[in-house]
Structures are given as C-alpha cells and as structure tokens.
Amino acid sequence: MNRSFSIGAAALLGVWGTISCTRGPKPDAYGNFEAVEVVVSADGNGKLLEFNVDEGYKLHRGEIVGWVDTTQLVLQRNQLRGEIAVLRAQLPEKEKQLDVVREQLAKTKHELARYKGLADADASTAQQVDNLSYDAEVLQKQLDAEESTLDIQTRTLLARMEPLRQQILQVQDRIDNAYVVNPVAGTVLAKYAEQHELAAIGKPLYKVANLDTLILRAYIEEPQLTQVRLGQSVRVLVDSTYAGNAAFTGRIGWIADKAEFTPKVIQTKDERANLVYALKIYVANPGPLKIGMPAEVYFNNN
C-alpha cells in the first residue's frame, strides 16, 4: 500500500507541475471584468407606441429607438396656440385709430397758421386765433392720451400672451422628450419594457453598455503599489488564453487611494481578510471578453 500511495502522490505532483508550467508565473493581481452600464429611462408618460430594442442589439449614440404617445400633449399645445391667436386678434390697430386725430390736428394747425397771417394783416381777430390755438392744444392732448391708452392695451395683451408662449415651450419640450434617444453607443444588456406598455418618467426601459472596452477591476496588496502607475500597460490573461488564444493588453486608468477588504469573488477565505487596493484596468475587447469574466493581471507586460 505504501508503494501504491507513493506512486499516486508522484503522479499527482506531476499533474500539478504540468499545470503550473502551463499557466506560467503567479499573477500579480486578480479581478473581474465590468462595464459602464447605462440604464435608459422614459422622459415622458404615456403608451410606448414604438420600441425597437432587444437584448444583444448594438445601438448608436443619438439613435431614436422608440417614442411615447403625445396625442394629449399636441392637443394641449394647439389649445394654447388658439388662445394666443385670440389675444393677437384683440391687439389695437394703433396707427389707424390715431390717423383720424392726427388729420384733425394737422388741419387745425394749418388753419391756425393761416389765421395768424390774417391777423398780422388785420384781416382776422385775435379771438379767432385764440380759439384755433386752444383747439390745437386739445387735439394734441387727445392724441397723446389715445396713443398712451393704445400702448397700454398692447402691452397688456402681449403680457397675457407671454405665459401662454412659455406653456407652449414646456409642452413642446415634453413632446420632444417623448422620443427615446439612446445616450451612448453600445450593446443592449437587458430590456425592461415592451412595445404598447405604459411608460412613465424615470421608469427603466433598457440597459446598455459599451463592450468595445471593458474595465477589469483588480486588487493588489499594499507592497505592490510601488509596481503600478497610471497609464501603465499590463498583460491580461483569461482562461481561454491557456487554450491557445491570445493574451490581452490593458492600461491602468485608476488606482484607489484607500484600502478595502478583498471581495469574496477574488481570493480564498483566509486571504479575504487582507486589505487591498483596487485598480481599474481598461482592456480593448475584440469580442471574447464578457462582463463578469475572471482574469489575471501581470505587471510585466512581456
């Protein structure tokens, strides 16, 4: 039995030796891939008339993927426009209304000038000149008063129109927000609504993320801090790398300034009690990398 046990132990050690040689030196850090996920919500309330989104779809930034029913909003906007039209029709035609008084004033001034000339030639009396002068003063005051009244009426009606115009802008903004516009280029990860369902402001419709570049959140111990720097290029390996697939190159884009306990998914139970520092490593994804996939990091990018 002792001889059999020795043979089995030797074989087991041989297997571990082969695995160790295959996987190479011990990684400097471990982590999992993640992405910046954006949850897109509705900006309006109503029935989702169109919704061209499904999981796995690749969307462009600014792409319209759906819209919410705006029938009631359009009716409200038309009503406000009608109220403005009524007020606009009440605006006084200032020049036409003042032309009559202006003509009377001009005629009176002309007669006053003529009678003054006659008075200089002793062909008219001073009383006639005084009467025409008084009539001209009255007409001028009447013209000024009517012009002031018409200006007040115009300003009042225009002031009543302004709140209606602001309401139209508010309604139009709600109409514009009824379109569901994709905010970032990426792949749809999850879909939370279906066409013809009722949408509400803030209600999630779908989740999208740019998978062209993934973020590897890895962890290192304090003594390793001197080995890393922002912008540093590192080598990233996943399980498929050991099956013959190529390794990946990453760039350190963020280093935590405070330590934390090692996440459960990274290390063994004993090692989880250690304090570590988080890194964000940006890795270009040609396709095989997935969110949540574990990876190993080697600081020596050779």
Side-chain angles (χ1 to χ4, degrees), residues 19-271:
I19 294 176
S20 177
C21 294
T22 303
R23 299 189 70 89
K26 181 180 178 181
D28 296 301
Y30 301 88
N32 294 83
F33 283 106
E34 58 185 39
V36 178
E37 300 176 353
V38 179
V39 177
V40 182
S41 303
D43 289 329
N45 300 320
K47 182 179 291 187
L48 200 57
L49 296 182
E50 193 75 25
F51 192 46
N52 300 316
V53 168
D54 209 345
E55 294 174 354
Y57 277 15
K58 288 189 175 181
L59 303 177
H60 300 289
R61 180 180 180 182
E63 181 178 351
I64 297 177
V65 297
W67 60 84
V68 177
D69 184 19
T70 58
T71 301
Q72 295 302 318
L73 293 175
V74 171
L75 293 175
Q76 183 180 352
R77 183 189 60 186
N78 293 343
Q79 179 182 354
L80 292 170
R81 287 176 175 175
E83 294 179 13
I84 289 180
V86 171
L87 293 175
R88 186 178 290 112
Q90 297 176 14
L91 288 172
E93 297 181 349
K94 178 180 175 180
E95 297 304 319
K96 290 184 179 180
Q97 295 183 25
L98 295 178
D99 281 345
V100 176
V101 181
R102 285 176 180 150
E103 291 177 2
Q104 293 177 354
L105 179 59
K107 183 177 180 180
T108 301
K109 287 182 176 181
H110 177 74
E111 289 296 314
L112 176 61
R114 189 171 70 85
Y115 272 87
K116 282 183 178 180
L118 292 175
D120 293 338
D122 295 329
S124 65
T125 63
Q127 183 65 39
Q128 289 175 314
V129 174
D130 290 342
N131 290 340
L132 287 171
S133 179
Y134 175 77
D135 291 342
E137 291 179 0
V138 171
L139 288 172
Q140 183 63 55
K141 290 180 180 178
Q142 181 181 350
L143 178 63
D144 294 340
E146 289 193 15
E147 187 173 9
S148 177
T149 300
L150 293 174
D151 286 341
I152 292 174
Q153 292 179 359
T154 300
R155 288 197 298 269
T156 300
L157 290 171
L158 291 176
R160 291 172 60 185
M161 290 182 195
E162 187 57 30
L164 297 176
R165 289 195 181 97
Q166 295 302 319
Q167 291 181 46
I168 289 177
L169 291 177
Q170 292 175 353
V171 173
Q172 186 61 51
D173 181 66
R174 292 168 61 188
I175 292 175
D176 295 339
N177 288 337
Y179 291 97
V180 181
V181 181
N182 184 59
V184 295
T187 303
V188 178
L189 303 180
K191 180 179 179 182
Y192 305 122
E194 296 293 340
Q195 187 173 339
H196 305 304
E197 288 185 354
L198 289 177
I201 296 177
K203 178 182 178 181
L205 298 178
Y206 64 97
K207 180 167 61 177
V208 62
N210 186 352
L211 303 182
D212 293 338
T213 299
L214 293 186
I215 301 172
L216 175 61
R217 183 181 288 271
Y219 297 85
I220 60 175
E221 296 179 352
E222 184 176 1
Q224 295 176 282
L225 284 175
T226 58
Q227 304 177 39
V228 296
R229 65 183 184 278
L230 293 178
Q232 177 180 343
S233 179
V234 298
R235 192 159 56 103
V236 177
L237 275 63
V238 295
D239 289 342
S240 61
T241 303
Y242 299 103
N245 294 333
F248 302 90
T249 300
R251 176 184 57 83
I252 298 178
W254 175 80
I255 303 173
D257 57 357
K258 293 182 180 180
E260 59 182 284
F261 287 103
T262 312
K264 294 181 179 180
V265 296
I266 301 299
Q267 297 287 4
T268 65
K269 182 177 180 180
D270 294 335
E271 293 173 324

